[in-house]
Amino acid sequence: MATPTTEKKTLTFALMDAPYENERTVTALRLIDIAARRGYNLTVFAYEGAVSLAFAKQAPHANAVHGRDAAQEDHPMPRDWIAAVLAVAEKNGGKIDWINCGLCVDERGVGEAIPGTRRGSPADLWKAAEASDNTLVIGTR
Amino acid sequence: MEKYLFIESRDPFESRDVEQSYDLAAQLAREGKTVTLFLVQNGVLPARKSAASAGLEKAAQAGVQILADGFSLRERGIGEGRLTAAVKPAPLDVVVDQLAEGRKAIFF
């Protein structure tokens, strides 16, 4: 097993899955969280359905079948997970440049993203990959 | 020496393509490359001794290091005692370690 390096690394992750659809999103955010806790500098390029992960208007809802209101249901919001990993990175001296593909955003009408994320283009993914120690693409199947 | 990281998230009972990723990992190892096959999500299911474990055992014999995400194992109720000898449990941190090391990585 490799010994964790204390050197500050730069990694890029490309995510493609829409929220609530696949466990790959959880795995991706677990990886980003681990790297953020190490203070690495990270670029996350969200494209296709993944641009909805940071959509600011995701709303928690009640569950009438189980008789729970929205607070009791405590529905997980991917936008909150992203805000959490952004905060973890900052706390540990690193940073996350979270880029939502603008073409994909426009197609889906999810232009209102949470603070700390930004709009970009596929060219940003290329630039980030060029500047990174490594890149992991987690594509939809 | 070239080093590779294969991250396999699929269950071989869901997709026959999984056998091909095992075979590719084994082939690289036979060529003298350093290869880790990291199982995650439903990819950990064949880590439990079963009819689907043969592909993993074959890859291990070829020299592939095979690790299974401890969190994914716990989510699926697979205890360490039920794993085939070819597979060792490991934290997801290993993936970040190997990415940081600069391994060629692919997520299946």
Side-chain angles (χ1 to χ4, degrees), chain B residues 11-28:
Chain B
D11 174 5
F13 287 112
E14 288 176 353
S15 168
R16 296 296 304 271
D17 292 348
V18 176
E19 289 177 23
Q20 292 174 15
S21 73
Y22 294 172
D23 286 346
L24 180 57
Q27 192 175 333
L28 287 166

mmCIF file of all heavy atoms in Angstrom, chain B residues 11-28:
data_model
loop_
_atom_site.group_PDB
_atom_site.id
_atom_site.type_symbol
_atom_site.label_atom_id
_atom_site.label_comp_id
_atom_site.label_asym_id
_atom_site.label_seq_id
_atom_site.Cartn_x
_atom_site.Cartn_y
_atom_site.Cartn_z
ATOM 1 N N ASP B 11 -20.665 -4.954 -10.416
ATOM 2 C CA ASP B 11 -20.828 -6.340 -10.011
ATOM 3 C C ASP B 11 -20.706 -7.220 -11.262
ATOM 4 O O ASP B 11 -21.379 -6.963 -12.259
ATOM 5 C CB ASP B 11 -22.236 -6.480 -9.404
ATOM 6 C CG ASP B 11 -22.613 -7.905 -9.064
ATOM 7 O OD1 ASP B 11 -21.767 -8.801 -9.209
ATOM 8 O OD2 ASP B 11 -23.775 -8.102 -8.664
ATOM 9 N N PRO B 12 -19.850 -8.246 -11.245
ATOM 10 C CA PRO B 12 -19.714 -9.086 -12.445
ATOM 11 C C PRO B 12 -21.001 -9.791 -12.842
ATOM 12 O O PRO B 12 -21.142 -10.218 -13.992
ATOM 13 C CB PRO B 12 -18.606 -10.081 -12.071
ATOM 14 C CG PRO B 12 -18.472 -10.001 -10.608
ATOM 15 C CD PRO B 12 -18.924 -8.646 -10.184
ATOM 16 N N PHE B 13 -21.959 -9.907 -11.907
ATOM 17 C CA PHE B 13 -23.240 -10.511 -12.282
ATOM 18 C C PHE B 13 -24.129 -9.516 -13.031
ATOM 19 O O PHE B 13 -25.109 -9.901 -13.652
ATOM 20 C CB PHE B 13 -23.973 -11.035 -11.049
ATOM 21 C CG PHE B 13 -23.360 -12.288 -10.481
ATOM 22 C CD1 PHE B 13 -22.733 -12.262 -9.247
ATOM 23 C CD2 PHE B 13 -23.379 -13.475 -11.196
ATOM 24 C CE1 PHE B 13 -22.161 -13.406 -8.721
ATOM 25 C CE2 PHE B 13 -22.803 -14.624 -10.677
ATOM 26 C CZ PHE B 13 -22.196 -14.600 -9.443
ATOM 27 N N GLU B 14 -23.771 -8.235 -12.958
ATOM 28 C CA GLU B 14 -24.521 -7.200 -13.692
ATOM 29 C C GLU B 14 -23.950 -6.980 -15.083
ATOM 30 O O GLU B 14 -24.678 -6.634 -16.006
ATOM 31 C CB GLU B 14 -24.437 -5.856 -12.958
ATOM 32 C CG GLU B 14 -25.241 -5.766 -11.679
ATOM 33 C CD GLU B 14 -25.020 -4.436 -10.991
ATOM 34 O OE1 GLU B 14 -24.162 -3.650 -11.429
ATOM 35 O OE2 GLU B 14 -25.707 -4.191 -9.997
ATOM 36 N N SER B 15 -22.622 -7.106 -15.193
ATOM 37 C CA SER B 15 -21.970 -6.772 -16.458
ATOM 38 C C SER B 15 -20.826 -7.734 -16.738
ATOM 39 O O SER B 15 -19.923 -7.894 -15.904
ATOM 40 C CB SER B 15 -21.425 -5.331 -16.391
ATOM 41 O OG SER B 15 -20.577 -5.093 -17.478
ATOM 42 N N ARG B 16 -20.859 -8.342 -17.917
ATOM 43 C CA ARG B 16 -19.767 -9.248 -18.292
ATOM 44 C C ARG B 16 -18.488 -8.467 -18.586
ATOM 45 O O ARG B 16 -17.405 -9.039 -18.652
ATOM 46 C CB ARG B 16 -20.167 -10.068 -19.535
ATOM 47 C CG ARG B 16 -21.353 -11.000 -19.320
ATOM 48 C CD ARG B 16 -21.037 -12.077 -18.286
ATOM 49 N NE ARG B 16 -19.877 -12.872 -18.601
ATOM 50 C CZ ARG B 16 -19.897 -13.991 -19.339
ATOM 51 N NH1 ARG B 16 -21.001 -14.434 -19.811
ATOM 52 N NH2 ARG B 16 -18.785 -14.665 -19.561
ATOM 53 N N ASP B 17 -18.621 -7.137 -18.779
ATOM 54 C CA ASP B 17 -17.436 -6.318 -19.038
ATOM 55 C C ASP B 17 -16.443 -6.381 -17.870
ATOM 56 O O ASP B 17 -15.248 -6.118 -18.048
ATOM 57 C CB ASP B 17 -17.822 -4.853 -19.261
ATOM 58 C CG ASP B 17 -18.593 -4.650 -20.555
ATOM 59 O OD1 ASP B 17 -18.623 -5.590 -21.374
ATOM 60 O OD2 ASP B 17 -19.167 -3.567 -20.743
ATOM 61 N N VAL B 18 -16.953 -6.705 -16.700
ATOM 62 C CA VAL B 18 -16.082 -6.744 -15.517
ATOM 63 C C VAL B 18 -14.960 -7.765 -15.718
ATOM 64 O O VAL B 18 -13.813 -7.519 -15.348
ATOM 65 C CB VAL B 18 -16.912 -7.060 -14.249
ATOM 66 C CG1 VAL B 18 -16.015 -7.202 -13.039
ATOM 67 C CG2 VAL B 18 -17.951 -5.972 -14.023
ATOM 68 N N GLU B 19 -15.304 -8.888 -16.312
ATOM 69 C CA GLU B 19 -14.274 -9.919 -16.560
ATOM 70 C C GLU B 19 -13.139 -9.338 -17.396
ATOM 71 O O GLU B 19 -11.970 -9.673 -17.195
ATOM 72 C CB GLU B 19 -14.884 -11.102 -17.319
ATOM 73 C CG GLU B 19 -15.818 -11.945 -16.494
ATOM 74 C CD GLU B 19 -16.446 -13.057 -17.326
ATOM 75 O OE1 GLU B 19 -15.854 -13.438 -18.360
ATOM 76 O OE2 GLU B 19 -17.531 -13.529 -16.959
ATOM 77 N N GLN B 20 -13.509 -8.470 -18.338
ATOM 78 C CA GLN B 20 -12.485 -7.881 -19.205
ATOM 79 C C GLN B 20 -11.568 -6.941 -18.433
ATOM 80 O O GLN B 20 -10.367 -6.860 -18.710
ATOM 81 C CB GLN B 20 -13.143 -7.144 -20.366
ATOM 82 C CG GLN B 20 -13.843 -8.094 -21.322
ATOM 83 C CD GLN B 20 -14.626 -7.373 -22.398
ATOM 84 O OE1 GLN B 20 -14.449 -6.190 -22.611
ATOM 85 N NE2 GLN B 20 -15.495 -8.092 -23.061
ATOM 86 N N SER B 21 -12.133 -6.220 -17.463
ATOM 87 C CA SER B 21 -11.255 -5.327 -16.678
ATOM 88 C C SER B 21 -10.326 -6.156 -15.792
ATOM 89 O O SER B 21 -9.157 -5.815 -15.625
ATOM 90 C CB SER B 21 -12.054 -4.307 -15.867
ATOM 91 O OG SER B 21 -12.700 -4.885 -14.778
ATOM 92 N N TYR B 22 -10.839 -7.268 -15.245
ATOM 93 C CA TYR B 22 -9.959 -8.162 -14.472
ATOM 94 C C TYR B 22 -8.840 -8.697 -15.377
ATOM 95 O O TYR B 22 -7.671 -8.742 -14.984
ATOM 96 C CB TYR B 22 -10.731 -9.372 -13.927
ATOM 97 C CG TYR B 22 -11.796 -9.120 -12.887
ATOM 98 C CD1 TYR B 22 -12.637 -10.157 -12.484
ATOM 99 C CD2 TYR B 22 -11.982 -7.881 -12.280
ATOM 100 C CE1 TYR B 22 -13.623 -9.979 -11.532
ATOM 101 C CE2 TYR B 22 -12.981 -7.685 -11.335
ATOM 102 C CZ TYR B 22 -13.798 -8.740 -10.966
ATOM 103 O OH TYR B 22 -14.772 -8.568 -10.022
ATOM 104 N N ASP B 23 -9.233 -9.120 -16.579
ATOM 105 C CA ASP B 23 -8.252 -9.711 -17.498
ATOM 106 C C ASP B 23 -7.195 -8.690 -17.920
ATOM 107 O O ASP B 23 -6.012 -9.011 -18.027
ATOM 108 C CB ASP B 23 -8.956 -10.254 -18.755
ATOM 109 C CG ASP B 23 -9.720 -11.539 -18.472
ATOM 110 O OD1 ASP B 23 -9.497 -12.142 -17.405
ATOM 111 O OD2 ASP B 23 -10.548 -11.925 -19.309
ATOM 112 N N LEU B 24 -7.641 -7.447 -18.163
ATOM 113 C CA LEU B 24 -6.692 -6.408 -18.563
ATOM 114 C C LEU B 24 -5.706 -6.126 -17.428
ATOM 115 O O LEU B 24 -4.499 -5.988 -17.665
ATOM 116 C CB LEU B 24 -7.452 -5.123 -18.932
ATOM 117 C CG LEU B 24 -6.605 -3.931 -19.365
ATOM 118 C CD1 LEU B 24 -5.727 -4.272 -20.564
ATOM 119 C CD2 LEU B 24 -7.498 -2.738 -19.689
ATOM 120 N N ALA B 25 -6.231 -6.085 -16.205
ATOM 121 C CA ALA B 25 -5.347 -5.872 -15.045
ATOM 122 C C ALA B 25 -4.330 -7.009 -14.948
ATOM 123 O O ALA B 25 -3.130 -6.779 -14.729
ATOM 124 C CB ALA B 25 -6.187 -5.785 -13.769
ATOM 125 N N ALA B 26 -4.811 -8.233 -15.141
ATOM 126 C CA ALA B 26 -3.918 -9.405 -15.046
ATOM 127 C C ALA B 26 -2.862 -9.376 -16.147
ATOM 128 O O ALA B 26 -1.686 -9.665 -15.899
ATOM 129 C CB ALA B 26 -4.747 -10.686 -15.129
ATOM 130 N N GLN B 27 -3.289 -8.994 -17.329
ATOM 131 C CA GLN B 27 -2.348 -8.946 -18.455
ATOM 132 C C GLN B 27 -1.237 -7.925 -18.196
ATOM 133 O O GLN B 27 -0.057 -8.186 -18.460
ATOM 134 C CB GLN B 27 -3.116 -8.592 -19.719
ATOM 135 C CG GLN B 27 -2.310 -8.783 -20.988
ATOM 136 C CD GLN B 27 -3.162 -8.523 -22.228
ATOM 137 O OE1 GLN B 27 -4.372 -8.683 -22.205
ATOM 138 N NE2 GLN B 27 -2.526 -8.114 -23.302
ATOM 139 N N LEU B 28 -1.605 -6.768 -17.680
ATOM 140 C CA LEU B 28 -0.602 -5.741 -17.365
ATOM 141 C C LEU B 28 0.368 -6.255 -16.302
ATOM 142 O O LEU B 28 1.580 -6.021 -16.384
ATOM 143 C CB LEU B 28 -1.298 -4.463 -16.888
ATOM 144 C CG LEU B 28 -2.011 -3.658 -17.979
ATOM 145 C CD1 LEU B 28 -2.944 -2.625 -17.358
ATOM 146 C CD2 LEU B 28 -1.002 -2.971 -18.883
#
